[in-house]
């Protein structure tokens, strides 16, 4: 009966997947996971839940982080284009310029979910948006601090060989014109217990 109503145009055709989980006709855990899985199999690793971006780690590099994508998402309304980490960076950057108020992006997830990589993509996009033709080594400097921090704060767990065992707060500072002036990286909640004992299949810090 439903199929006939769809064919007669009385009901909308069922979408194959939804790029915003808030649009699911029936919000259940099963439907939510099914939607994420369906998108993931089409290499769509990003999905919105309103203004929250859900990322599923593909465990391989996808060619969706080049300057063409930075340009494509520049100054666009959230949700207008396919979900992407650059869209969040763009919204935060232009909200900061427009409102002259600090913006914050929180990245959280399981061990191995790709938080560090997502942070790097965000910084890449934020510095690219700010440079506007100005040659700058700021991005290289900010991202270059990562491996040093990781050497002292990453340790093998039973699930992952290179997870961060510390929290990181990165503050990117801008001039009023929107050009990056510099950054401050603070680490917190370092798992100090690893210095004296490790669980089975887990290790101390890399350094």
């Amino acid at each position: 009966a439903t199929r006939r109503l769809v064919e007669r145009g009385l009901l909308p055709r069922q979408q194959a997947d939804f790029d915003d989980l808030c649009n699911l006709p029936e919000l259940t855990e099963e439907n939510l996971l099914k939607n994420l899985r369906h998108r993931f199999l089409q290499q769509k690793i990003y999905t919105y839940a309103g203004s929250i971006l859900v990322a599923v780690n593909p465990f391989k590099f996808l060619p969706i982080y080049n300057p063409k994508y930075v340009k494509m998402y520049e100054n666009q309304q959230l949700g207008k284009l396919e979900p992407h980490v650059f869209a969040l960076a763009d919204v935060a950057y232009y909200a900061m310029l427009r409102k002259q108020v600090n913006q914050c992006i929180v990245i959280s997830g399981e061990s191995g979910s790709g938080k560090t990589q997502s942070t790097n993509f965000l910084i890449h996009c934020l510095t690219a948006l700010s440079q506007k033709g100005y040659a700058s080594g700021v991005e290289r400097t900010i991202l270059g601090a990562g491996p040093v921090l990781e050497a002292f704060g990453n340790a093998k767990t039973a699930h992952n060989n290179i997870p961060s065992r510390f929290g990181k707060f990165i503050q990117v500072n801008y001039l009023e014109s929107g050009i990056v002036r510099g950054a401050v990286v603070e680490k917190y909640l370092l798992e100090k217990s690893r210095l004296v004992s490790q669980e089975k299949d887990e290790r101390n810090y890399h350094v």
Side-chain angles (χ1 to χ4, degrees):
T2 306
R3 186 168 57 83
R4 281 203 302 275
L5 289 170
V6 168
E7 283 166 1
R8 288 166 59 191
L10 297 172
L11 276 178
R13 287 191 181 278
Q14 209 173 354
Q15 281 180 242
D17 65 59
F18 294 84
D19 63 6
D20 188 336
L21 297 171
C22 294
N23 295 333
L24 282 172
E26 190 186 352
L27 187 58
T28 62
E29 188 178 342
E30 186 188 0
N31 285 347
L32 190 148
L33 293 172
K34 206 182 280 182
N35 189 64
L36 290 175
R37 177 182 164 78
H38 191 276
R39 289 178 62 75
F40 181 79
L41 293 174
Q42 297 175 75
Q43 300 207 323
K44 295 176 181 176
I45 62 166
Y46 295 118
T47 307
Y48 289 127
S51 60
I52 297 167
L53 182 72
V54 180
V56 184
N57 193 341
F59 290 101
K60 64 180 177 182
F61 185 77
L62 298 176
I64 56 171
Y65 304 105
N66 55 45
K68 185 182 85 176
Y69 279 84
V70 174
K71 194 88 194 122
M72 191 195 312
Y73 283 88
E74 188 171 359
N75 218 355
Q76 296 286 346
Q77 197 179 337
L78 199 67
K80 192 176 174 188
L81 300 171
E82 266 289 310
H84 199 290
V85 67
F86 286 176
L88 284 200
D90 182 83
V91 164
Y93 179 73
Y94 282 99
M96 175 193 71
L97 286 186
R98 204 170 51 250
K99 299 175 182 174
Q100 299 282 297
V101 172
N102 292 338
Q103 302 294 309
C104 181
I105 299 171
V106 178
I107 303 172
S108 70
E110 295 281 323
S111 175
S113 59
K115 297 182 293 296
T116 302
Q117 198 62 50
S118 292
T119 303
N120 293 347
F121 289 141
L122 279 167
I123 290 170
H124 168 71
C125 186
L126 287 168
T127 51
L129 286 169
S130 79
Q131 283 166 24
K132 305 260 187 339
Y134 291 82
S136 165
V138 174
E139 179 195 356
R140 220 168 33 249
T141 307
I142 299 169
L143 295 179
V148 180
L149 280 172
E150 286 163 14
F152 289 94
N154 283 23
K156 182 180 185 293
T157 65
H159 304 291
N160 189 352
N161 284 339
I162 52 163
S164 311
R165 300 288 86 203
F166 65 102
K168 195 162 55 181
F169 177 76
I170 303 175
Q171 179 180 306
V172 184
N173 299 321
Y174 293 86
L175 298 172
E176 281 189 8
S177 58
I179 297 166
V180 172
R181 187 180 63 189
V184 180
V185 182
E186 289 181 41
K187 69 178 192 328
Y188 59 93
L189 294 177
L190 182 69
E191 283 184 6
K192 295 190 180 78
S193 60
R194 285 183 174 271
L195 298 174
V196 290
S197 66
Q198 290 91 48
E199 296 293 317
K200 186 180 179 295
D201 296 328
E202 303 209 335
R203 291 183 59 182
N204 201 332
Y205 297 106
H206 293 344
V207 168

